[in-house]
Amino acid sequence: MDVELVEVRDFLARCAPFDQLTVDQLDRIPAQLSQRYHRRGTVILDAGARNDTLHLIRSGAVEVCDPDGALLDARGEGDCFGYSSLASGGPSRYRMVAVADTLLLEMPRDVLDSLLTDHPQLGLFFGERSERIRQDLASARLEAAGGDALGTPVGELLARDAVTTGPDTAIRDAAWLMTERRVSALLVVEAGRVVGIFTDRDLRSKVVAVGGDTGGPVSAIMTPDPVTVDAGTRAFDATLLQIDRGVHHLPVCEDGAPVGMVTSGDLLRLAQTDPVYLAARIARAPDAEGVAHLAARLPALVGEFVRRGTAPQDIGRVVTATADAATRRLISLAEGELGPPPVAYCWVGLGSQARGELGVASDQDNALILADAAETTPDADRYFAELAGQVCAGLDRSGFPLCPGDVMASTPAWRRTCASWERQVGDWVRAPGADAVLNTQVFLDIRPVHGDTSLFMRVRDEMLARAEGSLRFQAHLARIACEWRPPLGFFRGLVVERRGEYRNTLDLKAGGIAPVVQIARVYALSAGLDEVSTLGRLDAAAGAGVIARADAEDLSEAFRFLRGLTYSHHARQIADDDPQDNHLDPGTLSSADRHRLRAAFRIIAGVQGSLGLKYRVGQM
């Protein structure tokens, strides 16, 4: 084959959808193509003109405009254009202009038709069938995932069978068994189920140190009903669970029966110096400065997660676990300075922290729920105002900036008693004006971080009941979900910013991530579901039958893909020591990823259409 034809073949092999063909299949294409050069400013194809060619950009850049010259999309190396007019058989509805000196590969209609007949998978690329899109987005996610050690199921880490004893076993006999079997903990089992855990720490602190009776039963000093994990649980999830609960031993079960136990040492040896342990180190920081010093490592560690191919939802969980650990440690330090709290309280994370979806440099959203007794307790308001002020300031120094909208526990409006929160939620739902809906959206994503969780559950249950029972309120949330428009033009190509600081970029958060979060929230609330993460809400909503399973799966894959792009974008900015934002230049993506990005945005726009019809958004 001629050298030039080989170069064209190799170029096609890097461009979607031709990268799906074998080398032998690609060999037959270059000789059927022609090349055409266009100087910058040339109108390649004008609106109203007939088109019989699929154009593939080999070098340069092309802008797609409407007949009035408004920019609809920017195409770069490896992108195709002209297919819509080929498919319709009519004239082009758009103007294609070279915005740089551009070299095009041109494929005649008959060659394209023959290719699509012989290789139907290419037609799926242009036809945008839902199942194909979902598979393509999922394959991108799987290709990005590397050999992350923390993906190992905990069942594969078990070096021995479970060492167990009964609840009536004498403490001295249990201690002898631990010594004989060389273990630091025993699982206390009754009727084949784990009812407790007995550790060497329990023996030291609850018996030896206080001169306790070693002849008493293990049940008297064991930790009852310990948290357990299934053998198929990933080491990553087990590690986060250990950090969140502050435990060192995790019983491992299959079908409810104990099969072994993993320790923090087992997971630490697996991960070595894994960044997932940053949260554990923050929990032991000596002061607020120490918290900030450790949290400063987070951006670089996110880059490490991206490099290793960690799933974006797992990156978000680690960032969130770090914020949670910083919050808890700062609260503990504040209580140490201010003294014990005058009444029970619960510190709650809101927004992306509640959903477990924090990103790099996400601002903080939080609130305080106080026991009703705070209304009649002297100095309670002063105490919690001071505590919240210290914690929010400490989080700001730790890389979680103050919320521009003051959605923080340090603001009086976000620091209330249970009864006050219940009244406030009722007011928001009954009269869903612009401010009320905005505030409720934030508060609907809520999760306890520290304190008395019964206070959180009381407010959450009241809120879910009111939201589920108000179609008017759901309709307002649906309207907002539909207003976050993906950056797609009339012909479903990408739309970039035309001018200003973010020229030639698109906003991944506003155009993609935010609308999925909003859509998932509406569907989950309409079914009264208490799930708070976006992927969890979509899955639960599909299970409840309020959204089609296919739509939920499509949205989930689109959400994963967009978050993965966002974290990769942030990692590049971190490496270049640039401030992080969500504005991505699509020209930096491969041809396949640009196609996937369009597909993700189309999925979102399609579900927004269904949601709008369900709640009659256009008629509000």
Side-chain angles (χ1 to χ4, degrees):
M1 181 184 291
D2 181 273
V3 173
E4 186 174 357
L5 294 180
V6 170
E7 290 179 350
V8 172
R9 180 203 65 191
D10 292 345
F11 175 75
L12 291 172
R14 300 192 299 272
C15 301
F18 308 106
D19 54 357
Q20 301 174 49
L21 301 178
T22 66
V23 173
D24 289 342
Q25 292 166 341
L26 286 168
D27 280 342
R28 295 190 285 272
I29 299 177
Q32 303 178 75
L33 307 181
S34 59
Q35 292 194 115
R36 189 179 300 275
Y37 174 78
H38 297 272
R39 293 186 64 83
R40 178 179 180 179
T42 302
V43 176
I44 300 170
L45 180 64
D46 209 349
R50 182 170 181 80
N51 176 52
D52 293 308
T53 305
L54 180 71
H55 306 270
L56 177 63
I57 302 173
R58 188 170 182 184
S59 64
V62 172
E63 286 187 348
V64 183
C65 305
D66 67 12
D68 295 325
L71 178 67
L72 298 175
D73 192 17
R75 302 286 175 95
E77 181 178 313
D79 286 335
C80 299
F81 65 89
Y83 180 78
S84 60
S85 53
L86 286 176
S88 68
S92 174
R93 289 177 292 166
Y94 311 102
R95 174 181 295 175
M96 320 295 185
V97 182
V99 291
D101 291 348
T102 300
L103 182 63
L104 299 178
L105 292 172
E106 299 187 337
M107 180 180 293
R109 179 192 296 272
D110 60 333
V111 175
L112 177 62
D113 290 344
S114 177
L115 270 176
L116 296 181
T117 299
D118 295 340
H119 308 289
Q121 72 271 28
L122 302 187
L124 297 180
F125 174 92
F126 296 109
E128 301 297 354
R129 284 170 46 183
S130 176
E131 182 64 25
R132 173 67 180 87
I133 293 171
R134 189 188 316 147
Q135 291 176 356
D136 187 38
L137 292 175
S139 68
R141 171 167 52 89
L142 294 174
E143 288 168 8
D148 199 344
L150 286 176
T152 304
V154 292
E156 296 181 13
L157 304 180
L158 300 178
R160 64 168 75 219
D161 294 335
V163 182
T164 66
T165 192
D168 297 328
T169 301
I171 294 170
R172 68 169 66 93
D173 293 336
W176 179 85
L177 178 60
M178 290 169 63
T179 301
E180 181 189 43
R181 301 296 294 273
R182 296 183 179 180
V183 295
S184 59
L186 296 176
L187 296 181
V188 183
V189 176
E190 187 173 36
R193 293 292 185 266
V194 177
V195 296
I197 187 169
F198 173 65
T199 70
D200 55 3
R201 180 177 296 181
D202 294 327
L203 183 64
R204 294 193 308 270
S205 63
K206 299 177 182 179
V207 181
V208 177
V210 297
D213 179 12
T214 61
V218 164
S219 59
I221 64 169
M222 71 181 186
T223 300
D225 301 320
V227 59
T228 65
V229 293
D230 185 79
T233 301
R234 297 180 306 159
F236 178 92
D237 298 308
T239 300
L240 286 184
L241 184 61
Q242 281 189 326
I243 292 169
D244 184 56
R245 299 294 183 89
V247 297
H248 299 282
H249 300 83
L250 281 178
V252 180
C253 300
E254 285 186 351
D255 299 323
V259 294
M261 184 154 47
V262 291
T263 68
S264 54
D266 296 327
L267 296 171
L268 182 59
R269 282 189 293 274
L270 179 71
Q272 295 179 350
T273 58
D274 198 276
V276 76
Y277 285 94
L278 176 61
R281 290 191 285 272
I282 286 175
R284 299 190 296 270
D287 50 34
E289 288 71 23
V291 172
H293 177 73
L294 287 167
R297 303 180 188 179
L298 185 60
L301 296 182
V302 167
E304 168 61 19
F305 275 121
V306 170
R307 184 197 63 77
R308 91 167 46 161
T310 302
Q313 62 268 27
D314 289 341
I315 299 176
R317 289 175 63 197
V318 171
V319 177
T320 302
T322 303
D324 288 355
T327 301
R328 294 188 185 109
R329 187 57 183 150
L330 290 166
I331 290 173
S332 177
L333 292 168
E335 286 187 357
E337 177 183 331
L338 299 173
V343 298
Y345 72 95
C346 186
W347 184 287
V348 294
L350 305 175
S352 56
Q353 183 178 8
R355 299 192 304 272
E357 296 164 7
L358 275 177
V360 180
S362 292
D363 59 83
Q364 53 180 290
D365 292 315
N366 46 61
L368 268 176
I369 304 174
L370 311 178
D372 290 341
E375 292 184 355
T376 57
T377 301
D379 293 331
D381 186 64
R382 179 196 58 78
Y383 179 94
F384 288 110
E386 180 62 28
L387 181 140
Q390 289 189 26
V391 175
C392 291
L395 289 172
D396 183 44
R397 291 193 297 271
S398 299
F400 302 98
L402 298 174
C403 174
D406 288 331
V407 181
M408 296 175 293
S410 55
T411 304
W414 295 91
R415 188 175 66 248
R416 299 169 177 263
T417 63
C418 251
S420 177
W421 275 121
E422 288 173 327
R423 291 192 297 270
Q424 179 64 79
V425 168
D427 291 343
W428 283 339
V429 174
R430 279 192 301 271
D435 290 341
V437 173
L438 179 62
N439 288 333
T440 315
Q441 281 185 100
V442 177
F443 202 70
L444 284 167
D445 296 349
I446 183 172
R447 179 175 57 82
V449 175
H450 176 84
D452 186 344
T453 57
S454 67
L455 300 172
F456 152 78
M457 293 175 67
R458 177 179 153 188
V459 173
R460 182 203 61 186
D461 291 349
E462 172 73 11
M463 181 170 57
L464 290 177
R466 288 185 176 275
E468 182 184 9
S470 175
L471 288 177
R472 179 168 175 250
F473 177 69
Q474 293 171 28
H476 279 278
L477 293 180
R479 174 181 54 78
I480 293 174
C482 293
E483 287 176 349
W484 292 78
R485 302 303 300 173
L488 291 168
F490 294 112
F491 73 109
R492 304 303 224 183
L494 297 175
V495 176
V496 295
E497 295 287 343
R498 183 68 171 176
R499 58 180 62 84
E501 180 182 0
Y502 298 115
R503 185 178 185 275
N504 294 330
T505 69
L506 46 84
D507 190 335
L508 292 174
K509 181 177 179 180
I513 294 172
V516 179
V517 169
Q518 301 272 0
I519 291 168
R521 182 188 296 122
V522 175
Y523 278 120
L525 290 174
S526 71
L529 302 170
D530 61 8
E531 177 61 59
V532 70
S533 74
T534 299
L535 294 178
R537 278 173 165 166
L538 289 171
D539 183 62
V546 295
I547 182 176
R549 173 62 66 178
D551 284 347
E553 292 176 352
D554 286 348
L555 277 176
S556 294
E557 290 301 342
F559 186 68
R560 291 186 181 101
F561 179 72
L562 290 168
R563 291 190 70 205
L565 282 185
T566 302
Y567 281 124
S568 296
H569 175 60
H570 289 164
R572 287 191 295 270
Q573 292 179 317
I574 291 165
D576 295 338
D577 200 26
D578 291 333
Q580 288 82 64
D581 58 46
N582 298 305
H583 293 268
L584 176 72
D585 178 358
T588 63
L589 301 176
S590 67
S591 173
D593 276 347
R594 281 196 298 273
H595 169 68
R596 289 164 176 152
L597 186 57
R598 293 188 188 100
F601 287 147
R602 291 183 187 111
I603 287 170
I604 297 167
V607 179
Q608 282 178 320
S610 299
L611 185 67
L613 287 173
K614 177 178 179 179
Y615 286 99
R616 300 180 178 180
V617 167
Q619 302 175 32
M620 293 179 65

